[in-house]
Coordinates of all heavy atoms in Angstrom, one line a residue:
Chain Q
R231 N 1.4 21.1 36.3 CA 2.8 21.4 36.8 C 2.8 21.9 38.2 O 3.7 21.6 39.0 CB 3.4 22.4 35.8 CG 3.8 21.9 34.4 CD 4.6 22.9 33.7 NE 3.9 24.2 33.6 CZ 3.2 24.6 32.5 NH1 3.1 23.9 31.4 NH2 2.7 25.8 32.6
K232 N 1.7 22.6 38.5 CA 1.6 23.1 39.9 C 1.5 21.9 40.9 O 2.2 21.8 41.9 CB 0.4 24.0 40.1 CG 0.2 24.6 41.4 CD -0.8 25.8 41.3 CE -1.0 26.6 42.6 NZ -1.9 25.9 43.5
K233 N 0.7 20.9 40.5 CA 0.6 19.7 41.4 C 2.0 19.0 41.5 O 2.3 18.5 42.6 CB -0.4 18.7 40.7 CG -1.8 19.0 40.9 CD -2.7 17.9 40.3 CE -4.1 18.4 40.0 NZ -4.8 17.3 39.2
L234 N 2.7 18.9 40.4 CA 4.0 18.3 40.4 C 4.9 19.1 41.4 O 5.6 18.4 42.3 CB 4.7 18.3 39.0 CG 4.1 17.4 38.0 CD1 4.6 17.7 36.6 CD2 4.4 15.9 38.3
E235 N 4.9 20.4 41.4 CA 5.8 21.2 42.3 C 5.3 21.0 43.7 O 6.1 20.9 44.7 CB 5.8 22.6 41.8 CG 6.5 22.8 40.5 CD 6.9 24.2 40.1 OE1 6.3 25.1 40.6 OE2 7.9 24.3 39.3
E236 N 4.0 20.9 43.9 CA 3.4 20.7 45.3 C 3.8 19.4 45.8 O 4.0 19.2 47.0 CB 1.9 20.9 45.3 CG 1.5 22.3 45.1 CD 0.0 22.5 44.8 OE1 -0.7 21.5 44.6 OE2 -0.5 23.6 44.8
D237 N 4.1 18.4 44.9 CA 4.5 17.1 45.3 C 6.0 17.0 45.5 O 6.6 16.0 45.7 CB 4.1 16.0 44.3 CG 2.6 15.8 44.2 OD1 1.9 16.2 45.2 OD2 2.1 15.1 43.3
G238 N 6.7 18.2 45.4 CA 8.1 18.3 45.7 C 9.0 18.1 44.5 O 10.2 18.1 44.7
Y239 N 8.5 18.0 43.4 CA 9.3 17.9 42.2 C 9.8 19.3 41.8 O 9.1 20.3 42.0 CB 8.5 17.3 41.0 CG 8.2 15.8 41.1 CD1 6.9 15.4 41.3 CD2 9.2 14.9 41.0 CE1 6.5 14.1 41.5 CE2 8.9 13.5 41.2 CZ 7.5 13.1 41.4 OH 7.2 11.8 41.5
R240 N 11.0 19.3 41.2 CA 11.5 20.6 40.7 C 11.7 20.4 39.2 O 12.4 19.5 38.7 CB 12.9 20.9 41.3 CG 12.7 21.2 42.8 CD 14.0 21.7 43.5 NE 15.1 20.8 43.2 CZ 15.4 19.6 43.8 NH1 14.5 19.1 44.7 NH2 16.4 18.9 43.5
I241 N 11.1 21.3 38.4 CA 11.1 21.2 37.0 C 12.4 21.9 36.4 O 12.5 23.1 36.3 CB 9.8 21.8 36.3 CG1 8.6 21.2 36.9 CG2 9.9 21.7 34.8 CD1 7.3 21.9 36.6
I242 N 13.3 21.0 36.0 CA 14.6 21.5 35.5 C 14.4 22.1 34.1 O 15.0 23.1 33.7 CB 15.6 20.3 35.4 CG1 15.8 19.7 36.8 CG2 16.9 20.8 34.7 CD1 16.4 20.6 37.8
G243 N 13.5 21.5 33.4 CA 13.2 22.0 32.0 C 11.9 21.6 31.6 O 11.3 20.6 32.1
N244 N 11.3 22.3 30.6 CA 10.0 22.1 30.2 C 10.0 22.3 28.7 O 10.3 23.4 28.2 CB 9.0 23.1 30.9 CG 7.6 23.1 30.4 OD1 7.2 22.2 29.7 ND2 6.9 24.1 30.8
M245 N 9.7 21.3 27.9 CA 9.8 21.4 26.4 C 8.5 21.0 25.7 O 7.9 20.0 26.0 CB 11.0 20.4 26.0 CG 11.2 20.4 24.5 SD 12.7 19.4 24.1 CE 14.0 20.6 24.3
G246 N 8.2 21.8 24.8 CA 7.0 21.5 24.0 C 7.1 22.2 22.6 O 7.9 23.1 22.4
D247 N 6.2 21.9 21.7 CA 6.1 22.5 20.4 C 5.1 23.6 20.4 O 5.0 24.3 19.4 CB 5.7 21.5 19.3 CG 4.3 20.9 19.6 OD1 4.1 20.4 20.7 OD2 3.5 21.1 18.7
Q248 N 4.3 23.8 21.5 CA 3.3 24.8 21.5 C 3.6 25.8 22.6 O 4.1 25.4 23.7 CB 1.9 24.2 21.8 CG 1.4 23.2 20.8 CD 1.0 23.8 19.5 OE1 0.4 24.9 19.5 NE2 1.3 23.2 18.4
W249 N 3.3 27.0 22.4 CA 3.5 28.0 23.5 C 2.6 27.7 24.7 O 2.9 28.0 25.8 CB 3.3 29.4 23.0 CG 4.5 29.9 22.3 CD1 4.7 29.9 20.9 CD2 5.7 30.4 22.8 NE1 5.9 30.4 20.6 CE2 6.6 30.7 21.8 CE3 6.1 30.6 24.1 CZ2 7.9 31.2 22.0 CZ3 7.4 31.1 24.4 CH2 8.3 31.4 23.3
S250 N 1.5 27.0 24.4 CA 0.6 26.6 25.5 C 1.2 25.6 26.4 O 0.8 25.3 27.5 CB -0.8 26.2 25.0 OG -0.6 25.1 24.1
D251 N 2.3 24.9 26.0 CA 3.1 24.0 26.8 C 4.0 24.8 27.8 O 4.4 24.3 28.8 CB 4.0 23.1 26.0 CG 3.3 22.2 25.0 OD1 2.2 21.8 25.3 OD2 3.8 21.9 23.9
L252 N 4.3 26.0 27.4 CA 5.4 26.8 28.1 C 4.9 28.0 28.8 O 5.7 28.5 29.6 CB 6.4 27.1 27.0 CG 6.8 26.0 26.1 CD1 7.8 26.5 25.0 CD2 7.5 24.8 26.9
L253 N 3.8 28.5 28.5 CA 3.3 29.7 29.2 C 2.4 29.3 30.4 O 2.1 28.1 30.6 CB 2.5 30.6 28.2 CG 3.3 31.1 27.0 CD1 2.3 31.8 26.0 CD2 4.4 32.0 27.4
G254 N 1.9 30.3 31.1 CA 1.1 30.0 32.3 C 1.9 30.1 33.6 O 2.9 30.8 33.6
T255 N 1.6 29.2 34.5 CA 2.3 29.2 35.8 C 3.2 27.9 35.9 O 3.0 27.0 35.1 CB 1.4 29.2 37.0 OG1 0.6 28.0 37.0 CG2 0.4 30.4 36.9
N256 N 4.1 27.9 36.9 CA 4.9 26.8 37.2 C 5.6 26.2 36.0 O 5.6 25.0 35.7 CB 4.0 25.7 37.9 CG 3.2 26.2 39.0 OD1 2.2 26.8 38.9 ND2 3.7 26.0 40.3
T257 N 6.1 27.2 35.2 CA 6.7 26.8 33.9 C 8.0 26.1 34.0 O 8.5 25.6 32.9 CB 6.8 28.0 33.0 OG1 7.5 29.0 33.7 CG2 5.4 28.6 32.6
G258 N 8.6 26.1 35.1 CA 9.9 25.4 35.3 C 11.1 26.3 35.2 O 10.9 27.5 34.9
N259 N 12.2 25.7 35.5 CA 13.5 26.5 35.5 C 13.8 27.1 34.1 O 14.2 28.3 34.1 CB 14.6 25.5 35.8 CG 15.9 26.1 36.2 OD1 16.4 26.9 35.4 ND2 16.4 25.9 37.4
R260 N 13.5 26.4 33.1 CA 13.6 27.0 31.7 C 12.7 26.3 30.8 O 12.4 25.1 31.0 CB 15.0 27.0 31.2 CG 15.7 28.3 31.0 CD 17.0 28.3 30.4 NE 16.9 28.4 28.9 CZ 18.0 28.3 28.1 NH1 19.2 28.2 28.7 NH2 17.9 28.4 26.8

Side-chain angles (χ1 to χ4, degrees):
Chain Q
R231 288 190 305 261
K232 185 161 185 281
K233 286 186 201 168
L234 289 168
E235 294 193 335
E236 286 168 354
D237 288 346
Y239 291 110
R240 297 187 306 285
I241 303 171
I242 300 298
N244 174 15
M245 179 175 275
D247 64 302
Q248 299 289 321
W249 281 99
S250 54
D251 298 326
L252 311 177
L253 298 175
T255 67
N256 308 80
T257 52
N259 192 303
R260 246 186 88 180

